[in-house]
Amino acid sequence: MRESAPQASQSPTSTDTEEPRLNRRQAAKVRTRQKVLDAARNLFAERGYDAATIRDIAKVAGMSTGAVFANFQDKAELFETVFADEMTGLLNDVRTGAAVEGGVRERLAGALTAGYHRSLEHLPLMQAMIARSWFQPEVVDQRSRAFVKPIIEAIIEVLQGGIREGELRQDLDMPVLGRMVWDVFISNFRYAAYDGWGIEELTPHIRKQIDLILASQLSRQ
């Protein structure tokens, strides 16, 4: 087999490292897809899943229903994409909120309160996400769990910081505890939806819940 002659190693140029530029057609397709996503997100946030139709989404986006279906197979796929984007934004807010000064309680409370600040602005969207999680095919549920997983991992990172600082026990079951904190966070949206709770009510409530969850996990040193 013929071998190529050895060449001197070269440092990467800007051409090597830059993302390839899109042509006009590709750029137009990206813009169209984003318009559809923005319109869908706004309508899901305003009306929830069932009341937001493809026809309405297309109208808000300023295009035909055919253009919507050219980018997404159906409303379920469109909603799943919005869900993925929302979980990415929530992850960023949780990480930012966890960067406060203080112990593990303060960092957890900061993380979850930041999540509430974000999600309460479009509560019907969060309600739709929670409701849809009970009525979707298993393969979709697995993808949804994958979108949520990084947020739970961010919560676990805060808990691990509590272990390193000697606040929490060394033998904690991190996956279980991280999931428990996430489940409590999600469950409180019921109070926002049905009892009219805002951030003023949710903040002290989640702090009390964190205290109860961590009470049996404190280091005995």
Side-chain angles (χ1 to χ4, degrees), residues 176-197:
V176 170
L177 194 57
R179 169 61 71 175
M180 183 184 299
V181 172
W182 167 255
D183 288 344
V184 166
F185 170 77
I186 290 296
S187 70
N188 287 337
F189 281 105
R190 185 175 185 86
Y191 297 114
Y194 293 103
D195 296 334
W197 282 21

Side-chain angles (χ1 to χ4, degrees), residues 72-86:
F72 299 94
Q73 181 177 346
D74 51 26
K75 188 170 76 167
E77 182 186 2
L78 182 51
F79 185 79
E80 184 178 334
T81 306
V82 171
F83 178 85
D85 288 347
E86 178 63 16

Side-chain angles (χ1 to χ4, degrees), residues 109 112-113 115-117 119-120 123 184-193 196-210:
L112 301 185
T113 301
Y116 287 136
H117 272 289
S119 299
L120 287 177
L123 184 58
V184 166
F185 170 77
I186 290 296
S187 70
N188 287 337
F189 281 105
R190 185 175 185 86
Y191 297 114
W197 282 21
I199 197 67
E200 295 82 6
E201 293 82 13
L202 285 171
T203 298
H205 188 68
I206 192 62
R207 286 181 175 275
K208 290 178 182 178
Q209 291 172 315
I210 290 170

Side-chain angles (χ1 to χ4, degrees), residues 20-80:
R21 293 184 178 180
L22 301 178
N23 59 38
R24 288 186 178 180
R25 184 175 181 180
Q26 290 170 326
K29 185 174 178 63
V30 170
R31 288 195 298 270
T32 298
R33 180 181 173 86
Q34 190 58 51
K35 281 184 179 180
V36 173
L37 278 176
D38 290 343
R41 177 187 172 83
N42 290 336
L43 283 179
F44 288 142
E46 178 185 333
R47 305 178 185 178
Y49 179 82
D50 292 329
T53 67
I54 289 291
R55 186 187 300 271
D56 290 337
I57 291 170
K59 184 177 180 180
V60 171
M63 58 189 62
S64 66
T65 56
V68 176
F69 286 120
N71 287 274
F72 299 94
Q73 181 177 346
D74 51 26
K75 188 170 76 167
E77 182 186 2
L78 182 51
F79 185 79
E80 184 178 334

Side-chain angles (χ1 to χ4, degrees), residues 137-181:
E138 183 177 352
V139 63
V140 177
D141 181 65
Q142 291 301 317
R143 290 198 297 267
S144 297
R145 294 188 188 203
F147 300 144
V148 170
K149 184 179 178 181
I151 304 175
I152 297 176
E153 290 174 345
I155 292 171
I156 290 174
E157 287 176 8
V158 176
L159 296 170
Q160 288 173 333
I163 292 178
R164 289 192 299 270
E165 295 298 322
E167 296 180 79
L168 301 179
R169 291 164 29 202
Q170 296 284 333
D171 60 344
L172 296 185
D173 188 329
M174 285 298 179
V176 170
L177 194 57
R179 169 61 71 175
M180 183 184 299
V181 172

